[in-house]
Amino acid sequence: MQLLIHAIVAFASSVGFGIITNIPRRTLLPAGVTGAASWVVYVVITGLTPNVILPNLLAAVTIGLVANTFAVVVKAPVNVLYIPSLVSLVPGAIIYMSMKAFTLGQEAAAQQGLIKTLTIAISLAVGFVVAEALFRPLRRHLHRRPAR
């Protein structure tokens, strides 16, 4: 039940961010589904490992694969789906707390937060690269699907 609540909230946050950033209406539902799927992967993997790299990496791969598929289906640029889907994974609170610690003179806490933020950002970027590499051969098959 808790995983369903996570999925619903992630869907709503992705759609809401899509509305704020003014993405086309036809891409709101796919962006929401992509954001929800990636957050569910993130929550499940976070429950299995204390590592911050693996959950973010696999969530980014999920975004990459699902968003690329939806982009072909709805005939939209994939970046339009990437950005709202990624909003739940951005380490905003961590970087905020790190900058707060830095301004308060707590250099050790600031460094730790900065390193964690960079680790998450790099794992998200690598996840997108992996997803693009995995999706490239599949793209040809999706474009060849019969017209309805």
Side-chain angles (χ1 to χ4, degrees):
M1 184 65 180
Q2 192 172 10
L3 200 57
L4 179 63
I5 293 170
H6 276 278
I8 291 169
V9 172
F11 177 87
S13 70
S14 295
V15 169
F17 194 77
I19 291 169
I20 290 170
T21 56
N22 204 23
I23 67 172
R25 286 184 186 251
R26 73 179 191 279
T27 60
L28 286 174
L29 181 64
V33 170
T34 305
S38 69
W39 186 252
V40 167
V41 168
Y42 175 81
V43 168
V44 168
I45 302 301
T46 300
L48 299 175
T49 179
N51 190 341
V52 296
I53 296 172
L54 190 61
N56 286 289
L57 179 83
L58 294 178
V61 169
T62 302
I63 290 174
L65 294 175
V66 175
N68 271 296
T69 303
F70 277 133
V72 171
V73 171
V74 298
K75 294 177 177 61
V78 72
N79 290 344
V80 170
L81 298 172
Y82 271 179
I83 293 171
S85 303
L86 185 63
V87 74
S88 298
L89 299 172
V90 172
I94 299 168
I95 194 70
Y96 171 79
M97 295 305 290
S98 179
M99 291 299 107
K100 180 181 173 186
F102 181 73
T103 58
L104 294 174
Q106 303 166 349
E107 286 82 15
Q111 288 175 355
Q112 185 180 10
L114 181 61
I115 289 170
K116 189 173 183 179
T117 301
L118 290 174
T119 303
I120 292 169
I122 290 169
S123 64
L124 290 172
V126 170
F128 283 128
V129 170
V130 168
E132 289 291 332
L134 291 173
F135 191 77
R136 180 165 283 148
L138 300 174
R139 186 179 313 250
R140 290 184 214 111
H141 297 294
L142 283 175
H143 280 295
R144 290 184 196 158
R145 65 188 177 101
R148 293 181 190 184

PDB file of all heavy atoms in Angstrom, residues 29-53:
ATOM      1  N   LEU A  29       0.635  12.891 -19.183  1.00  0.00           N
ATOM      2  CA  LEU A  29       0.393  11.538 -18.681  1.00  0.00           C
ATOM      3  C   LEU A  29       1.646  10.667 -18.806  1.00  0.00           C
ATOM      4  O   LEU A  29       2.033  10.014 -17.831  1.00  0.00           O
ATOM      5  CB  LEU A  29      -0.812  10.907 -19.381  1.00  0.00           C
ATOM      6  CG  LEU A  29      -1.186   9.506 -18.921  1.00  0.00           C
ATOM      7  CD1 LEU A  29      -1.625   9.520 -17.459  1.00  0.00           C
ATOM      8  CD2 LEU A  29      -2.297   8.941 -19.794  1.00  0.00           C
ATOM      9  N   PRO A  30       2.306  10.641 -19.977  1.00  0.00           N
ATOM     10  CA  PRO A  30       3.545   9.854 -20.058  1.00  0.00           C
ATOM     11  C   PRO A  30       4.628  10.322 -19.086  1.00  0.00           C
ATOM     12  O   PRO A  30       5.340   9.499 -18.507  1.00  0.00           O
ATOM     13  CB  PRO A  30       4.001  10.038 -21.508  1.00  0.00           C
ATOM     14  CG  PRO A  30       2.772  10.363 -22.257  1.00  0.00           C
ATOM     15  CD  PRO A  30       1.907  11.129 -21.309  1.00  0.00           C
ATOM     16  N   ALA A  31       4.728  11.629 -18.873  1.00  0.00           N
ATOM     17  CA  ALA A  31       5.723  12.140 -17.919  1.00  0.00           C
ATOM     18  C   ALA A  31       5.379  11.687 -16.502  1.00  0.00           C
ATOM     19  O   ALA A  31       6.270  11.320 -15.724  1.00  0.00           O
ATOM     20  CB  ALA A  31       5.797  13.662 -17.993  1.00  0.00           C
ATOM     21  N   GLY A  32       4.110  11.698 -16.165  1.00  0.00           N
ATOM     22  CA  GLY A  32       3.683  11.243 -14.847  1.00  0.00           C
ATOM     23  C   GLY A  32       3.944   9.767 -14.628  1.00  0.00           C
ATOM     24  O   GLY A  32       4.435   9.355 -13.565  1.00  0.00           O
ATOM     25  N   VAL A  33       3.646   8.965 -15.624  1.00  0.00           N
ATOM     26  CA  VAL A  33       3.890   7.522 -15.524  1.00  0.00           C
ATOM     27  C   VAL A  33       5.392   7.252 -15.413  1.00  0.00           C
ATOM     28  O   VAL A  33       5.828   6.417 -14.607  1.00  0.00           O
ATOM     29  CB  VAL A  33       3.274   6.781 -16.732  1.00  0.00           C
ATOM     30  CG1 VAL A  33       3.712   5.322 -16.775  1.00  0.00           C
ATOM     31  CG2 VAL A  33       1.764   6.888 -16.694  1.00  0.00           C
ATOM     32  N   THR A  34       6.185   7.972 -16.188  1.00  0.00           N
ATOM     33  CA  THR A  34       7.635   7.798 -16.137  1.00  0.00           C
ATOM     34  C   THR A  34       8.176   8.190 -14.763  1.00  0.00           C
ATOM     35  O   THR A  34       9.004   7.473 -14.188  1.00  0.00           O
ATOM     36  CB  THR A  34       8.317   8.636 -17.239  1.00  0.00           C
ATOM     37  OG1 THR A  34       7.754   8.275 -18.504  1.00  0.00           O
ATOM     38  CG2 THR A  34       9.799   8.400 -17.269  1.00  0.00           C
ATOM     39  N   GLY A  35       7.726   9.309 -14.238  1.00  0.00           N
ATOM     40  CA  GLY A  35       8.167   9.746 -12.916  1.00  0.00           C
ATOM     41  C   GLY A  35       7.765   8.774 -11.827  1.00  0.00           C
ATOM     42  O   GLY A  35       8.541   8.478 -10.910  1.00  0.00           O
ATOM     43  N   ALA A  36       6.540   8.244 -11.909  1.00  0.00           N
ATOM     44  CA  ALA A  36       6.075   7.279 -10.917  1.00  0.00           C
ATOM     45  C   ALA A  36       6.882   5.987 -10.991  1.00  0.00           C
ATOM     46  O   ALA A  36       7.284   5.437  -9.959  1.00  0.00           O
ATOM     47  CB  ALA A  36       4.592   6.994 -11.115  1.00  0.00           C
ATOM     48  N   ALA A  37       7.136   5.499 -12.201  1.00  0.00           N
ATOM     49  CA  ALA A  37       7.909   4.260 -12.367  1.00  0.00           C
ATOM     50  C   ALA A  37       9.326   4.421 -11.819  1.00  0.00           C
ATOM     51  O   ALA A  37       9.839   3.539 -11.115  1.00  0.00           O
ATOM     52  CB  ALA A  37       7.956   3.861 -13.837  1.00  0.00           C
ATOM     53  N   SER A  38       9.944   5.552 -12.110  1.00  0.00           N
ATOM     54  CA  SER A  38      11.318   5.756 -11.639  1.00  0.00           C
ATOM     55  C   SER A  38      11.365   5.876 -10.114  1.00  0.00           C
ATOM     56  O   SER A  38      12.283   5.366  -9.475  1.00  0.00           O
ATOM     57  CB  SER A  38      11.938   6.992 -12.281  1.00  0.00           C
ATOM     58  OG  SER A  38      11.315   8.164 -11.813  1.00  0.00           O
ATOM     59  N   TRP A  39      10.374   6.529  -9.528  1.00  0.00           N
ATOM     60  CA  TRP A  39      10.361   6.673  -8.068  1.00  0.00           C
ATOM     61  C   TRP A  39      10.119   5.323  -7.385  1.00  0.00           C
ATOM     62  O   TRP A  39      10.705   5.034  -6.356  1.00  0.00           O
ATOM     63  CB  TRP A  39       9.327   7.696  -7.628  1.00  0.00           C
ATOM     64  CG  TRP A  39       9.410   7.955  -6.160  1.00  0.00           C
ATOM     65  CD1 TRP A  39       8.534   7.564  -5.198  1.00  0.00           C
ATOM     66  CD2 TRP A  39      10.458   8.646  -5.475  1.00  0.00           C
ATOM     67  NE1 TRP A  39       8.961   7.975  -3.967  1.00  0.00           N
ATOM     68  CE2 TRP A  39      10.147   8.638  -4.105  1.00  0.00           C
ATOM     69  CE3 TRP A  39      11.624   9.273  -5.895  1.00  0.00           C
ATOM     70  CZ2 TRP A  39      10.959   9.227  -3.145  1.00  0.00           C
ATOM     71  CZ3 TRP A  39      12.436   9.866  -4.938  1.00  0.00           C
ATOM     72  CH2 TRP A  39      12.105   9.835  -3.586  1.00  0.00           C
ATOM     73  N   VAL A  40       9.265   4.494  -7.959  1.00  0.00           N
ATOM     74  CA  VAL A  40       9.034   3.165  -7.395  1.00  0.00           C
ATOM     75  C   VAL A  40      10.322   2.347  -7.445  1.00  0.00           C
ATOM     76  O   VAL A  40      10.689   1.685  -6.465  1.00  0.00           O
ATOM     77  CB  VAL A  40       7.873   2.447  -8.117  1.00  0.00           C
ATOM     78  CG1 VAL A  40       7.829   0.971  -7.776  1.00  0.00           C
ATOM     79  CG2 VAL A  40       6.549   3.116  -7.772  1.00  0.00           C
ATOM     80  N   VAL A  41      11.037   2.417  -8.559  1.00  0.00           N
ATOM     81  CA  VAL A  41      12.333   1.722  -8.649  1.00  0.00           C
ATOM     82  C   VAL A  41      13.285   2.262  -7.595  1.00  0.00           C
ATOM     83  O   VAL A  41      13.959   1.498  -6.896  1.00  0.00           O
ATOM     84  CB  VAL A  41      12.933   1.865 -10.070  1.00  0.00           C
ATOM     85  CG1 VAL A  41      14.387   1.423 -10.105  1.00  0.00           C
ATOM     86  CG2 VAL A  41      12.111   1.082 -11.069  1.00  0.00           C
ATOM     87  N   TYR A  42      13.335   3.573  -7.446  1.00  0.00           N
ATOM     88  CA  TYR A  42      14.212   4.202  -6.449  1.00  0.00           C
ATOM     89  C   TYR A  42      13.883   3.720  -5.030  1.00  0.00           C
ATOM     90  O   TYR A  42      14.764   3.342  -4.272  1.00  0.00           O
ATOM     91  CB  TYR A  42      14.094   5.720  -6.538  1.00  0.00           C
ATOM     92  CG  TYR A  42      14.879   6.454  -5.479  1.00  0.00           C
ATOM     93  CD1 TYR A  42      16.243   6.668  -5.635  1.00  0.00           C
ATOM     94  CD2 TYR A  42      14.260   6.909  -4.323  1.00  0.00           C
ATOM     95  CE1 TYR A  42      16.969   7.333  -4.655  1.00  0.00           C
ATOM     96  CE2 TYR A  42      14.981   7.570  -3.349  1.00  0.00           C
ATOM     97  CZ  TYR A  42      16.339   7.776  -3.523  1.00  0.00           C
ATOM     98  OH  TYR A  42      17.059   8.416  -2.542  1.00  0.00           O
ATOM     99  N   VAL A  43      12.597   3.715  -4.676  1.00  0.00           N
ATOM    100  CA  VAL A  43      12.186   3.320  -3.324  1.00  0.00           C
ATOM    101  C   VAL A  43      12.497   1.846  -3.073  1.00  0.00           C
ATOM    102  O   VAL A  43      13.005   1.482  -2.006  1.00  0.00           O
ATOM    103  CB  VAL A  43      10.684   3.623  -3.105  1.00  0.00           C
ATOM    104  CG1 VAL A  43      10.161   2.975  -1.833  1.00  0.00           C
ATOM    105  CG2 VAL A  43      10.452   5.118  -3.066  1.00  0.00           C
ATOM    106  N   VAL A  44      12.213   0.998  -4.045  1.00  0.00           N
ATOM    107  CA  VAL A  44      12.459  -0.437  -3.876  1.00  0.00           C
ATOM    108  C   VAL A  44      13.951  -0.713  -3.712  1.00  0.00           C
ATOM    109  O   VAL A  44      14.369  -1.439  -2.802  1.00  0.00           O
ATOM    110  CB  VAL A  44      11.873  -1.237  -5.058  1.00  0.00           C
ATOM    111  CG1 VAL A  44      12.356  -2.678  -5.053  1.00  0.00           C
ATOM    112  CG2 VAL A  44      10.350  -1.183  -5.018  1.00  0.00           C
ATOM    113  N   ILE A  45      14.781  -0.126  -4.558  1.00  0.00           N
ATOM    114  CA  ILE A  45      16.227  -0.366  -4.488  1.00  0.00           C
ATOM    115  C   ILE A  45      16.823   0.273  -3.234  1.00  0.00           C
ATOM    116  O   ILE A  45      17.720  -0.296  -2.618  1.00  0.00           O
ATOM    117  CB  ILE A  45      16.938   0.153  -5.760  1.00  0.00           C
ATOM    118  CG1 ILE A  45      16.363  -0.531  -7.001  1.00  0.00           C
ATOM    119  CG2 ILE A  45      18.438  -0.092  -5.679  1.00  0.00           C
ATOM    120  CD1 ILE A  45      16.473  -2.033  -7.014  1.00  0.00           C
ATOM    121  N   THR A  46      16.306   1.418  -2.808  1.00  0.00           N
ATOM    122  CA  THR A  46      16.781   2.047  -1.575  1.00  0.00           C
ATOM    123  C   THR A  46      16.509   1.141  -0.374  1.00  0.00           C
ATOM    124  O   THR A  46      17.314   1.090   0.561  1.00  0.00           O
ATOM    125  CB  THR A  46      16.111   3.420  -1.367  1.00  0.00           C
ATOM    126  OG1 THR A  46      16.443   4.261  -2.467  1.00  0.00           O
ATOM    127  CG2 THR A  46      16.575   4.077  -0.084  1.00  0.00           C
ATOM    128  N   GLY A  47      15.409   0.408  -0.394  1.00  0.00           N
ATOM    129  CA  GLY A  47      15.099  -0.527   0.679  1.00  0.00           C
ATOM    130  C   GLY A  47      16.017  -1.736   0.699  1.00  0.00           C
ATOM    131  O   GLY A  47      16.145  -2.408   1.718  1.00  0.00           O
ATOM    132  N   LEU A  48      16.670  -2.001  -0.429  1.00  0.00           N
ATOM    133  CA  LEU A  48      17.544  -3.174  -0.515  1.00  0.00           C
ATOM    134  C   LEU A  48      19.009  -2.876  -0.245  1.00  0.00           C
ATOM    135  O   LEU A  48      19.772  -3.796   0.046  1.00  0.00           O
ATOM    136  CB  LEU A  48      17.411  -3.816  -1.908  1.00  0.00           C
ATOM    137  CG  LEU A  48      16.020  -4.320  -2.294  1.00  0.00           C
ATOM    138  CD1 LEU A  48      16.011  -4.807  -3.728  1.00  0.00           C
ATOM    139  CD2 LEU A  48      15.564  -5.413  -1.348  1.00  0.00           C
ATOM    140  N   THR A  49      19.410  -1.624  -0.388  1.00  0.00           N
ATOM    141  CA  THR A  49      20.824  -1.285  -0.235  1.00  0.00           C
ATOM    142  C   THR A  49      20.972   0.068   0.459  1.00  0.00           C
ATOM    143  O   THR A  49      20.174   0.966   0.225  1.00  0.00           O
ATOM    144  CB  THR A  49      21.542  -1.261  -1.607  1.00  0.00           C
ATOM    145  OG1 THR A  49      22.907  -0.914  -1.416  1.00  0.00           O
ATOM    146  CG2 THR A  49      20.917  -0.276  -2.559  1.00  0.00           C
ATOM    147  N   PRO A  50      22.012   0.215   1.281  1.00  0.00           N
ATOM    148  CA  PRO A  50      22.258   1.523   1.899  1.00  0.00           C
ATOM    149  C   PRO A  50      22.998   2.487   0.962  1.00  0.00           C
ATOM    150  O   PRO A  50      23.168   3.659   1.274  1.00  0.00           O
ATOM    151  CB  PRO A  50      23.130   1.171   3.114  1.00  0.00           C
ATOM    152  CG  PRO A  50      23.851  -0.062   2.698  1.00  0.00           C
ATOM    153  CD  PRO A  50      22.897  -0.824   1.811  1.00  0.00           C
ATOM    154  N   ASN A  51      23.395   2.007  -0.171  1.00  0.00           N
ATOM    155  CA  ASN A  51      24.147   2.772  -1.153  1.00  0.00           C
ATOM    156  C   ASN A  51      23.263   3.843  -1.799  1.00  0.00           C
ATOM    157  O   ASN A  51      22.085   3.614  -2.027  1.00  0.00           O
ATOM    158  CB  ASN A  51      24.640   1.780  -2.219  1.00  0.00           C
ATOM    159  CG  ASN A  51      25.629   2.355  -3.180  1.00  0.00           C
ATOM    160  OD1 ASN A  51      25.734   3.564  -3.317  1.00  0.00           O
ATOM    161  ND2 ASN A  51      26.340   1.494  -3.857  1.00  0.00           N
ATOM    162  N   VAL A  52      23.806   5.023  -2.118  1.00  0.00           N
ATOM    163  CA  VAL A  52      23.022   6.051  -2.811  1.00  0.00           C
ATOM    164  C   VAL A  52      23.195   5.982  -4.325  1.00  0.00           C
ATOM    165  O   VAL A  52      22.391   6.543  -5.062  1.00  0.00           O
ATOM    166  CB  VAL A  52      23.374   7.485  -2.330  1.00  0.00           C
ATOM    167  CG1 VAL A  52      23.019   7.661  -0.885  1.00  0.00           C
ATOM    168  CG2 VAL A  52      24.800   7.842  -2.616  1.00  0.00           C
ATOM    169  N   ILE A  53      24.215   5.296  -4.778  1.00  0.00           N
ATOM    170  CA  ILE A  53      24.501   5.259  -6.212  1.00  0.00           C
ATOM    171  C   ILE A  53      23.511   4.363  -6.953  1.00  0.00           C
ATOM    172  O   ILE A  53      22.903   4.781  -7.947  1.00  0.00           O
ATOM    173  CB  ILE A  53      25.947   4.809  -6.473  1.00  0.00           C
ATOM    174  CG1 ILE A  53      26.920   5.828  -5.894  1.00  0.00           C
ATOM    175  CG2 ILE A  53      26.204   4.607  -7.960  1.00  0.00           C
ATOM    176  CD1 ILE A  53      28.362   5.396  -5.930  1.00  0.00           C
TER     177      ILE A  53
END
